[in-house]
Every structure is written in C-alpha cells, then in structure tokens.
Amino acid sequence: MQIGRLNLHLAIRAEATDTLRLYPDPQASALRDALATYHQVRPEQVFVGNGSDEVLAHAFAALLKHDAPLLFPDITYSFYPVYCRLFGIDWEAVPLDQAMQIRVADYDRPAGALILPNPNAPTGVALSRAEIAALLEQHPDAPVVIDEAYAEFAPGVSVVKLIREYPQLFVARTFSKVAGLASLRLGAVIANRDSLNTLRRATAPFPVNLAALVAAVAAVNDRKTMNGYLRDIARTRKWFEKELHALGVATYPSQCNFLLTSFGPAGPALFERLTRDGVMLRDRAKDIGPGVARISVGTQPEMERLIRKIKRYWKR
Ligand SMILES: *Cc1c(COP(=O)(O)O)cnc(C)c1O
C-alpha cells in the first residue's frame, strides 16, 4: 500500500529540477502546515525529522535523561533500550499484565520521564485517551512521550489534542506505517510550542530533505487513499482473527495492522514450516514466549493464502 503513488511521483518529479542544488526549507513550512491541518494543531506545535526513529533519538537525547529512571513497558518497541544505552539513560521496564495490557497504576512511581507506544507494539493493544490522561496527571513535571506510530489504525486513541492541557506531553508520529512511506524517512513530534524548543535546540538546520518534504505533503493531503486502506486493514484483520479463533489460536485485541498471536506448544514447529515455505512471521519466543508470533495484516488474498498454509502445516 502506498498513499497516492502517482501523486507522490508527480510531486517529487515537479520539484526535482534546478531546486536540487539548493538547501531545503530549514523550517519545512509546507510540511509543518500540512501536518498542522491534519492534526488540527498550529504549525508551531509541529516538529519534523527523518523518520520517527530520528525524532525519537532527539527526544531521548534532549528530554528523557534525568536522575530518576525513564519508564517504559517491558514488552514494547525494541529501539527504546537501544537509545537508552546509546545516550546513557537509566531506565526501568514496567511489566505488562497477563492480558498484555499496560496498567496505568503501575506507572505511579518516581520517574524522570515516560515513553510508550499507543497502541503498543508488538502487542497491538491500546490504552484509552482517558488512561493516557491519567498517566499525565500522575507525572505533571516529567516529559511523557506517546509514540503514536500506529494511531491511525486505532480511531479515538490519539492524544494529540491533549497537548493544550499538558505541556509535558510529546506525541511522536510517522507516515511509515499508515501511508507506506517508510523509505522517505519522515517523522514528527506534536507538542506545546515552548516544550518543542528543547527539541529544536538538539537538531541540525535542515531537518527534512526536499523529496520527502514534497511527497509527504502530497501524502498527507490524500485522505481518500488512506481511509480506504484503513477500512481494508480493519476488515481483513477482523476476518483473519475469526479464522484463527476457529482454529483455536489465541490472539490479543489488536488495533493495528498486525496481530499478536499465540499458537501454544505446537507453534515453533508451525513457524519453522511456514518459514521454509517463504512466510516470514515475527517469532516472539525470545521476549514473550514460545509459540507467540506477530503477524502483519496484508491484503485479503494474502491473508487467505496464509490461513490455507497455517491449516496445512499446523498439527496440534
Ligand atoms: C515503526 C515504528 C517507529 C519508527 O518509525 P519511522 O518513522 O519509520 O522511523 C517508531 N515507533 C514505533 C512504535 C514503530 O512501530
């Protein structure tokens, strides 16, 4: 899937002329304006960079290092501990509960800062907006980064609009997942204007290259393709979940374009056969347990093929 493939090509081609000699707009104004409209905030509340991973690196370096530890879930985006080691940040991993949920009450402890994806990855499980607000109330003086890489897939959970009430809130966004633009490397942080100054001080003068700038603006404005994609993913995920349940496979309630599944003791043998047949599952034996895998939701025909293969290879 890619948002407005044709529009992207045309937008890049139109700009790829003489202007390639020049440095891009240091303010990335066209993109920040488009993102501000998309998120219903002001352009001063939008900070952009080369992928969410880069803006998160700036956040770790400039915001998340304190005497008290940084808190994040024990099962979560694998880059958080990597950045902690890189930037010398002390952290504490807070366990998820049995249902793979983040329990807000468990975060009510001394913390220098917090970061968590919502919905969480690789579980796909989301906290409600009220639960995130409760976290922010617990930590009025600690920076709280909510990584919304998958927020479009989970209607109603984004906390972007809470930046007005909570100056300590930083919301990280990306177009890698929802718009199929991973190769462009485009990420953003939405926060209160004064809070963003800390991040701005940490960055180089030209945050985003010209091709990414123009293509992203075209993508952000193509809501029709994005909404169609989101509807397809939700429908296919529901269908795929039902098929798995009919086979007796456990799933966690995902609001993303992937599903965390538990095949039990027969899982590892199944994953091996699927891998030999060219199907790549994200085996989570190492961090979650044997027989647990994260499966990406593709197109309906792709998922139908996958179910046929699972039925063929799975012997309980
Ligand atoms: C994919 C992902 C990112 C990184 O996104 P990029 O914009 O491609 O760097 C960050 N956080 C989470 C939770 C992700 O899943």
Side-chain angles (χ1 to χ4, degrees):
M1 206 293 306
Q2 186 170 80
I3 289 288
R5 191 179 291 271
L6 182 65
N7 290 344
L8 294 189
H9 291 175
L10 291 176
I12 293 174
R13 216 154 80 186
E15 283 294 328
T17 58
D18 237 17
T19 50
L20 289 182
R21 289 181 295 120
L22 308 172
Y23 279 97
D25 173 12
Q27 309 293 336
S29 298
L31 176 60
R32 286 175 43 241
D33 287 350
L35 287 173
T37 306
Y38 179 83
H39 290 296
Q40 298 180 305
V41 296
R42 291 196 307 275
E44 317 84 86
Q45 296 168 320
V46 181
F47 170 90
V48 292
N50 289 289
S52 186
D53 284 339
E54 187 191 75
V55 295
L56 286 175
H58 293 318
F60 274 80
L63 294 172
L64 302 184
K65 187 170 180 166
H66 298 273
D67 293 334
L70 171 67
L71 303 183
F72 51 79
D74 64 339
I75 296 169
T76 195
Y77 189 46
S78 54
F79 250 46
Y80 300 162
V82 173
Y83 281 150
C84 282
R85 283 189 283 268
L86 180 62
F87 296 115
I89 296 169
D90 185 25
W91 87 87
E92 264 173 43
V94 183
L96 298 183
D97 71 9
Q98 287 295 324
M100 293 278 168
Q101 304 258 11
I102 290 168
R103 252 189 323 226
V104 169
D106 294 344
Y107 288 76
D108 198 0
R109 59 213 252 182
L114 277 73
I115 182 165
L116 39 109
N118 196 43
N120 194 11
T123 64
V125 181
L127 286 177
S128 70
R129 195 177 283 153
E131 287 171 307
I132 303 274
L135 272 177
L136 290 159
E137 294 288 338
Q138 279 171 9
H139 299 280
D141 301 317
V144 175
V145 177
I146 303 298
D147 181 351
E148 294 192 347
Y150 297 96
E152 274 90 357
F153 297 99
V157 312
S158 172
V159 290
V160 164
K161 61 171 68 155
L162 297 187
I163 62 166
R164 287 182 209 111
E165 287 159 68
Y166 298 100
Q168 82 273 35
L169 171 61
F170 297 82
V171 182
R173 303 285 300 216
T174 173
F175 278 85
S176 294
K177 315 291 160 66
V178 69
L181 294 182
S183 68
L184 281 182
R185 310 309 304 131
L186 205 98
V189 173
I190 318 290
N192 181 294
R193 188 189 65 167
D194 294 336
S195 311
L196 278 184
N197 283 337
T198 322
L199 271 187
R200 287 199 192 94
R201 279 199 291 273
T203 55
F206 303 99
V208 180
N209 76 71
L210 181 80
L213 273 180
V214 294
V217 172
V220 173
N221 291 329
D222 184 3
R223 300 290 192 87
K224 200 164 151 241
T225 311
M226 190 189 294
N227 290 336
Y229 169 64
L230 292 173
R231 268 195 306 275
D232 288 349
I233 287 288
R235 194 186 309 119
T236 300
R237 188 185 64 219
K238 229 175 254 163
W239 173 86
F240 184 63
E241 234 173 346
K242 240 171 67 189
E243 291 285 316
L244 290 174
H245 292 168
L247 293 172
V249 179
T251 63
Y252 296 93
S254 170
Q255 296 214 53
C256 294
N257 60 342
F258 58 81
L259 204 57
L260 192 68
T261 57
S262 181
F263 286 81
L270 169 74
F271 301 161
E272 204 190 303
R273 290 196 187 97
L274 286 171
T275 306
R276 261 190 268 138
D277 198 359
V279 180
M280 282 284 293
L281 302 180
R282 292 284 200 88
D283 189 341
R284 307 302 301 220
K286 281 209 189 84
D287 58 344
I288 305 181
V292 177
R294 172 182 146 161
I295 301 179
S296 296
V297 178
T299 63
Q300 181 70 26
E302 281 168 350
M303 301 321 276
E304 287 174 8
R305 277 202 297 281
L306 177 57
I307 280 288
R308 279 200 297 277
K309 287 184 179 186
I310 289 173
K311 284 179 178 164
R312 190 181 317 145
Y313 296 135
W314 195 34
K315 300 188 189 70
R316 278 199 286 166

